[in-house]
Amino acid sequence: MTQVSMTVNGKAASGDVEGRTLLSSFLRDQLHLTGTHVGCDTSQCGACVVHVDGQAVKSCTMLAMEADGSEVSTIEGQAGADGSLNVIQQAFQDHHGLQCGFCTPGMVMSAAALLKENPKPSEAEVRAYLEGNICRCTGYHNIVKAIMAASGQDVGAMAAE
């Protein structure tokens, strides 16, 4: 076992892990942050996206030991201290960017990374950025609409799929 320490959602966190423990497992099983979902264990679905030192990563393919000393942000850290939704979460709610909700944490975390890199992406840029995230329910139109709205852009002009 190896001790890992990191800052998760602004708070110090540590625990003992085996060398093979994935970051997603550490977050879910030891820190009880179950908003990070694991849908495939193969880096295909994107439900496990978190931010490590400001970069979006698929936590099901990163070892917890690799995040030792890092700043990690999960979906639980996105809301305000009072529980209010952030602008991206609110846009997902307002624009019906979720159905079953399984992919939503990864989509929100990916959207946050995109909007940090590119505050005013085009619809095509949003769609390209989300290629690593799978949603089996919505057909993506409302997810893209929500991200565009979160960026402050008018979504009325978006073509329906």
Side-chain angles (χ1 to χ4, degrees):
M1 298 293 262
T2 301
Q3 173 90 17
V4 294
S5 298
M6 59 192 76
T7 302
V8 181
N9 299 327
K11 297 177 183 166
S14 62
D16 292 324
V17 297
E18 294 181 26
R20 64 183 178 175
T21 302
L22 298 172
L23 179 58
S24 57
S25 298
F26 178 71
L27 294 169
R28 292 180 57 80
D29 300 339
Q30 291 194 34
L31 301 184
H32 307 290
L33 296 172
T34 57
T36 299
H37 294 162
V38 178
C40 66
D41 282 325
T42 60
S43 191
Q44 301 298 308
C45 75
C48 67
V49 172
V50 299
H51 297 173
V52 177
D53 295 329
Q55 298 295 310
V57 300
K58 292 181 178 178
S59 63
C60 76
T61 57
M62 181 178 192
L63 296 173
M65 291 173 32
E66 292 177 288
D68 188 39
S70 294
E71 295 269 341
V72 177
S73 181
T74 71
I75 190 67
E76 289 90 349
Q78 298 303 295
D82 63 355
S84 60
L85 301 178
N86 75 12
V87 67
I88 298 168
Q89 292 169 313
Q90 189 63 55
F92 268 69
Q93 181 177 341
D94 293 345
H95 296 279
H96 311 289
L98 63 137
Q99 284 184 20
C100 82
F102 192 82
C103 72
T104 306
M107 290 286 188
V108 168
M109 297 304 290
S110 290
L114 168 62
L115 296 180
K116 182 180 172 190
E117 284 178 26
N118 182 357
K120 299 285 185 195
S122 68
E123 182 179 345
E125 289 170 324
V126 171
R127 289 180 182 281
Y129 198 90
L130 293 180
E131 285 183 358
N133 295 73
I134 296 174
C135 175
R136 291 172 175 91
C137 300
T138 70
Y140 300 94
H141 183 70
N142 287 343
I143 292 170
V144 173
K145 190 188 235 184
I147 296 168
M148 296 293 289
S151 75
Q153 299 183 71
D154 179 20
V155 296
M158 285 183 59
E161 282 186 46

